[in-house]
C-alpha cells in the first residue's frame, strides 16, 4: 500500500515545523521538513513524535505533505481516543488539511502542536553575529519575542533536537529508525485512506 502514496507525497518546504506547547508553554520546535510524512503515537521505537500519554494509541496519527497541492494533511489512524484540530475530532483514515498556525492534539494529552513555516529573516540569522540590538536592526525585528523565535528555530534547524526542555530519551533511537529506511507508518493507512487521499483535489478544504 505504501507505493500508492509515492506519487502524491513529497518533502515539505524547508523550515516547516511544529511548535509544541504544554500548559501554554513552548517546550519544543519539532522540524518536520526532512521527509514526506511523520508518525505520531505511543510506540517510541517506530513513531517520529512520541505521545507519552495513556490515551495515545501505538500508531495514532500521521502528518503527510501533499506535494501536488503543497499542503499538509493530518490523518487519524483509527486511534481509540481521537485526533483533533482545535476542538474538532477527525474521522479515522480521512485526510484533513492542516493550515499554518492551526493547532492539533491527540487523545487527552495536554500537548498541542501548531504548524509553522520558517520564520522570516531566518537565512540572515544563520550568518549574522553580534549583539541582539544589532540583529534586530538588521533583520527588522521589533521585539524580543520575534528574535527569540528566530533563535530557537535556528537551534532546532541545526541540531534537530528538543530545545526548551530535557531531551527526549528516545530521540536518537527514533532518528536512527527514520534514517534506516521506510517506517511501518504507511501500513497503518488502509486502502480506504489511500483512496480518499488519492482523490483529494486542488479545491479541497476538508
Amino acid at each position: 500500500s505504501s507505493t500508492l502514496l509515492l506519487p502524491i507525497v513529497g518533502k515539505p518546504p524547508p523550515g516547516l515545523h511544529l511548535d509544541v506547547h504544554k500548559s501554554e508553554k513552548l517546550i519544543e520546535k519539532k522540524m518536520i521538513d526532512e521527509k514526506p510524512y511523520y508518525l505520531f503515537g505511543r510506540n517510541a521505537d517506530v513513531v517520529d513524535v512520541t505521545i507519552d500519554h495513556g490515551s495515545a494509541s501505538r500508531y495514532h496519527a500521521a502528518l503527510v505533505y501533499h506535494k501536488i497541492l503543497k499542503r499538509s494533511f493530518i490523518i487519524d489512524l483509527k486511534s481509540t481516543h481521537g485526533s483533533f484540530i482545535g476542538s474538532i475530532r477527525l474521522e479515522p483514515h480521512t485526510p484533513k488539511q492542516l493550515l499554518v498556525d492551526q493547532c492539533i492534539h491527540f487523545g487527552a494529552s495536554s500537548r498541542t502542536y501548531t504548524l509553522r513555516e520558517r520564520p522570516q529573516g531566518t537565512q540572515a540569522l544563520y550568518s549574522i553575529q553580534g549583539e541582539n540590538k544589532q540583529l534586530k536592526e538588521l533583520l527588522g525585528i521589533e521585539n524580543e519575542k520575534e528574535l527569540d523565535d528566530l533563535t530557537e528555530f535556528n537551534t532546532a534547524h541545526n541540531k534537530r533536537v528538543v530545545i526548551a526542555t530535557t531531551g527526549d530519551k528516545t530521540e536518537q533511537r527514533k532518528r536512527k529508525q527514520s534514517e534506516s529506511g521506510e517506517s511501518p507508518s504507511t501500513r497503518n493507512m488502509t486502502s480506504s485512506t489511500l483512496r480518499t487521499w488519492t482523490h483529494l483535489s486542488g479545491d479541497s478544504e476538508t
Side-chain angles (χ1 to χ4, degrees), residues 24-183:
E24 299 185 356
K25 179 181 179 181
L26 178 67
I27 60 172
E28 178 182 357
K29 281 188 180 289
K30 173 70 177 178
M31 303 305 299
I32 52 169
D33 61 354
E34 294 182 316
K35 61 180 191 173
Y37 55 87
Y38 286 80
L39 247 195
F40 295 74
R42 203 175 67 247
N43 188 343
D45 291 327
V46 175
V47 301
D48 302 292
V49 182
T50 304
I51 308 172
D52 189 14
H53 194 275
S55 66
S57 298
R58 294 175 69 246
Y59 306 102
H60 199 105
L63 184 63
V64 186
Y65 189 77
H66 196 300
K67 70 179 182 181
I68 298 174
L69 301 180
K70 300 187 183 304
R71 301 174 186 177
S72 296
F73 289 81
I74 186 74
I75 305 172
D76 181 83
L77 299 178
K78 206 174 181 180
S79 63
T80 302
H81 296 285
S83 303
F84 301 82
I85 296 180
S87 61
I88 300 188
R89 182 168 179 164
L90 306 184
E91 292 292 330
H93 299 302
T94 303
K96 181 77 172 178
Q97 184 182 345
L98 183 66
L99 301 175
V100 172
D101 295 333
Q102 278 192 315
C103 179
I104 55 177
H105 67 279
F106 307 102
S109 173
S110 61
R111 294 196 181 200
T112 61
Y113 305 80
T114 305
L115 185 66
R116 304 288 194 196
E117 294 177 321
R118 180 172 61 188
Q120 293 183 354
T122 304
Q123 293 293 341
L125 184 63
Y126 294 155
S127 58
I128 293 175
Q129 303 293 330
E131 298 296 327
N132 284 0
K133 182 178 179 180
Q134 293 174 322
L135 282 172
K136 287 190 291 184
E137 290 175 353
L138 288 168
L139 296 176
I141 295 173
E142 298 181 353
N143 56 61
E144 292 292 338
K145 184 178 183 303
E146 290 183 47
L147 180 59
D148 289 344
D149 189 57
L150 281 172
T151 303
E152 290 171 355
F153 173 86
N154 189 46
T155 301
H157 175 83
N158 288 330
K159 296 184 177 181
R160 307 281 169 161
V161 295
V162 177
I163 61 169
T165 187
T166 55
D168 185 348
K169 294 180 181 179
T170 64
E171 183 72 18
Q172 291 183 348
R173 184 167 68 249
K174 288 186 294 183
R175 282 187 56 79
K176 185 176 180 181
Q177 174 80 24
S178 174
E179 293 167 358
S180 65
E182 182 184 4
S183 78

